[in-house]
């Protein structure tokens, strides 16, 4: 595959040398385009030696070949790492002031992945976040930066994801296997093959909600829940590894989202509802793994609610949140869409019935296709690294058990989804 590797002017440029090695060792043909600032961190000679191609950052070199047009047209994948705040901004506003920005504008339908790295303040700045939103809305995959130690004494979100994670995410985006010299790489003219074993969701879009919603009471307080987001994040990684384009609707989570998925942050149930209904329009699969608050405070105070000795303590009135899962099924049916909707249920048994009795009733009520049921107790499931679930199907097929790490459970759920889909649309 012909890859353009754009390198931004950040200290993490040195890690991109390893990324380049991963690409070339997997048999890909990589042209490196550093920005002017990037060459202050890693010199042109390094990129030329590692890629085996001449390297330039100017549109005025090799003018006779109209370099930016050729590179943009020929690329089958463009990866930008580190994507600095400046590069994200220039890409979002369509600037064309060096070879890399020109090439990005010439990319057409070519998949583009950007791996940001910068200080947390720069990443979290509304200007950067708006640029990221713009790029994502245009179909560019912008990875979430990793969290940890940054260049100075600071730490937080802003680290370049590890080269291996960028490599995997990039090849998943391009629909290429990560093993070297496989038929997909060496025979670009071959007829499209059915989804390879291990990539059963290739070509599909999967939307996954994860984490817990937070329902504000006043500017500093909220009603939340103990969801860590670990199971939803494991599902997103498993769906990505199965070849899907993954959109993660992320509520409050204790873990970072996986590399290679599009992340849409939400806070409240109403925000999640809006994002989920919007995402549903082009999703083949929706997995509602988020812990959505069933109720929200009826009134949100504009200023912090104060303790006062001269008035009675406040009483919080709650109103019910919409059932997003149920609504997604209704919208799907009304639009006659072919879409698999998967719900999660955290249940406890009681004197009137066991966990599975309650879960079966919930499956009927929600009318989703699959319901992944886990048994919750004082120390079970929330925040843990392991899980034990039963997958119930609306078709009435045998309940399926899965347990182990949350990644094991995610893999079992994704396998089951793939099996359900192949029943609806058998592979070509
Ligand atoms: O009704 P219960 O909260 O037990 O249902 C759990 C399932 O429904 C989960 O898939 C959760 O994401 C979803 N849900 C929802 N909207 C709500 C409450 C839960 O979509 N308001």
């Amino acid at each position: 595959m012909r890859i353009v590797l754009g390198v931004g002017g950040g200290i993490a440029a040195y890690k991109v040398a390893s990324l380049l090695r991963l690409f070339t060792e997997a048999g890909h043909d990589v042209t490196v385009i550093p920005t002017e600032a990037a060459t202050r961190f890693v010199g042109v000679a390094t990129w030329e030696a590692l890629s085996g191609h001449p390297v330039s950052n100017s549109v005025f070199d090799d003018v006779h070949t109209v370099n930016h047009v050729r590179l943009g047209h020929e690329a089958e994948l463009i990866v930008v790492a580190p994507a600095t705040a400046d590069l994200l901004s220039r890409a979002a506003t369509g600037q064309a002031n060096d070879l890399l920005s020109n090439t990005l504008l010439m990319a057409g339908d070519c998949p583009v992945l950007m791996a940001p790295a910068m200080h947390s303040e720069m990443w979290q700045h509304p200007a950067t976040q708006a640029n990221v939103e713009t790029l994502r809305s245009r179909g560019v995959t912008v990875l979430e930066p990793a969290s940890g130690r940054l260049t100075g004494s600071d730490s937080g979100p802003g680290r370049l994801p590890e080269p291996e994670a960028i490599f995997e995410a990039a090849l998943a985006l391009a629909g290429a296997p990560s093993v070297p010299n496989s038929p997909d790489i060496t025979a670009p003219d071959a007829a499209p093959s059915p989804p390879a074993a291990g990539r059963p969701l290739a070509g599909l879009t999967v939307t996954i909600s994860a984490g817990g919603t937070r329902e504000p009471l006043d500017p500093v307080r909220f009603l939340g829940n103990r969801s860590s987001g670990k199971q939803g994040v494991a599902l997103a990684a498993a769906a990505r590894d199965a070849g899907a384009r993954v959109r993660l609707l992320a509520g409050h989570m204790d873990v970072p989202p996986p590399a290679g998925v599009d992340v849409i942050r939400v806070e409240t149930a109403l925000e999640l509802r809006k994002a989920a209904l919007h995402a549903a329009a082009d999703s083949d699969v929706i997995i509602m793994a988020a812990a959505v608050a069933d109720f929200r405070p009826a009134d949100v105070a504009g200023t912090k609610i104060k303790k006062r000795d001269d008035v009675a303590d406040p009483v919080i009135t709650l109103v019910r949140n919409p059932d997003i899962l149920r609504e997604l099924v209704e919208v799907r049916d009304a639009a006659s869409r072919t879409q698999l909707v998967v719900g999660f249920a955290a249940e406890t048994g009681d004197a009137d019935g066991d966990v599975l009795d309650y879960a079966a009733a919930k499956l009927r009520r929600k009318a989703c296709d699959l319901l992944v049921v886990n048994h919750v107790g004082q120390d079970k499931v929330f925040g843990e690294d392991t899980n034990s679930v039963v997958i119930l199907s609306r078709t009435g097929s045998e309940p399926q058990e899965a347990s182990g790490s949350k990644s094991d459970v995610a893999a079992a759920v994704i396998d089951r989804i793939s099996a359900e889909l192949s029943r609806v649309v058998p592979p070509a």
Side-chain angles (χ1 to χ4, degrees):
M1 180 164 50
R2 275 184 295 269
I3 300 176
V4 166
L5 179 58
V7 186
I11 183 73
Y14 79 91
K15 287 193 187 172
V16 178
S18 310
L19 176 62
L20 172 56
R21 281 303 278 267
L22 289 171
F23 284 134
T24 54
E25 280 171 10
H28 301 290
D29 180 26
V30 187
T31 299
V32 180
I33 312 181
T35 62
E36 176 70 36
T39 59
R40 294 180 178 226
F41 292 98
V42 179
V44 165
T46 302
W47 301 122
E48 289 189 337
L50 291 179
S51 71
H53 287 298
V55 167
S56 159
N57 53 37
S58 166
V59 276
F60 298 108
D61 290 341
D62 291 328
V63 175
H64 64 287
T65 66
V66 202
N67 231 355
H68 61 292
V69 175
R70 186 179 58 78
L71 289 166
H73 282 172
E74 288 180 359
E76 293 162 275
L77 170 68
I78 299 181
V79 177
V80 180
T84 57
D86 177 65
L87 253 180
L88 292 170
S89 166
R90 290 199 282 132
T93 51
Q95 291 183 45
N97 37 23
D98 62 6
L99 184 59
L100 179 55
S101 51
N102 272 274
T103 305
L104 285 168
L105 280 178
M106 292 299 303
D109 291 338
C110 172
V112 178
L113 178 137
M114 303 185 86
M118 64 197 78
H119 290 281
S120 303
E121 291 82 353
M122 296 172 85
W123 171 249
Q124 284 158 348
H125 194 285
T128 305
Q129 288 300 308
N131 290 330
V132 169
E133 276 305 302
T134 301
L135 290 165
R136 284 179 177 157
S137 71
R138 290 192 201 128
V140 174
T141 296
V142 183
L143 300 184
E144 287 290 308
S147 278
R149 180 81 195 276
L150 300 173
T151 318
S153 55
D154 52 342
S155 65
R159 275 170 70 89
L160 186 73
E162 289 308 311
E164 290 76 13
I166 302 174
F167 173 74
E168 290 293 338
L171 294 194
L173 178 66
S178 44
V179 287
N181 299 325
S182 79
D184 281 359
I185 296 171
T186 54
D189 296 326
S193 47
R199 299 180 61 76
L201 299 184
L204 301 185
T205 297
V206 177
T207 294
I208 300 170
S209 71
T213 65
R214 288 180 161 183
E215 310 296 327
L217 269 166
D218 67 16
V220 290
R221 305 183 182 96
F222 57 83
L223 297 182
N225 58 62
R226 295 212 261 154
S227 173
S228 65
K230 285 181 184 173
Q231 188 62 73
V233 163
L235 282 161
R240 176 203 64 197
D241 293 345
R245 172 181 174 227
V246 180
R247 211 182 271 132
L248 184 68
L249 311 181
H252 174 77
M253 309 198 302
D254 296 339
V255 288
V261 309
D262 290 334
V263 181
I264 297 159
R265 298 274 177 188
V266 295
E267 182 88 7
T268 64
L270 293 181
E271 281 175 24
L272 176 56
R273 171 180 177 272
K274 194 170 162 203
L277 289 172
H278 188 257
D282 69 347
S283 296
D284 301 286
V285 178
I286 303 182
I287 308 174
M288 283 294 293
V292 187
D294 288 325
F295 304 98
R296 66 181 182 277
D299 300 302
V300 182
T303 52
K304 187 179 170 194
I305 302 168
K306 308 255 184 330
K307 279 188 298 241
R308 284 175 51 178
D309 292 335
D310 53 338
V311 292
D313 288 343
V315 173
I316 299 166
T317 306
L318 299 176
V319 290
R320 206 181 260 225
N321 274 327
D323 189 321
I324 305 166
L325 180 58
R326 178 85 198 109
E327 219 174 326
L328 286 168
V329 173
E330 281 167 8
V331 170
R332 175 200 63 187
D333 293 346
S336 307
R337 231 180 251 150
T338 309
Q339 183 179 67
L340 197 85
V341 181
V342 182
F344 266 69
E347 287 293 342
T348 51
D350 62 17
D352 294 328
D354 70 11
V355 172
L356 283 187
D357 296 332
Y358 284 112
K362 182 165 291 184
L363 180 61
R364 284 193 294 277
R365 232 178 18 252
K366 305 250 186 188
C368 50
D369 302 292
L370 295 175
L371 188 71
V372 183
V373 186
N374 45 43
H375 187 291
V376 287
Q378 197 62 35
D379 297 320
K380 284 188 181 150
V381 182
F382 286 113
E384 295 287 301
D385 291 324
T386 55
N387 203 357
S388 169
V389 303
V390 179
I391 307 172
L392 301 184
S393 162
R394 200 150 64 104
T395 59
S397 51
E398 275 299 293
Q400 180 191 338
E401 294 191 14
S403 59
S405 69
K406 287 191 172 173
S407 298
D408 294 338
V409 168
V413 172
I414 294 298
D415 275 357
R416 181 60 189 266
I417 288 172
S418 308
E420 294 281 327
L421 286 173
S422 62
R423 218 177 311 154
V424 184
V425 190

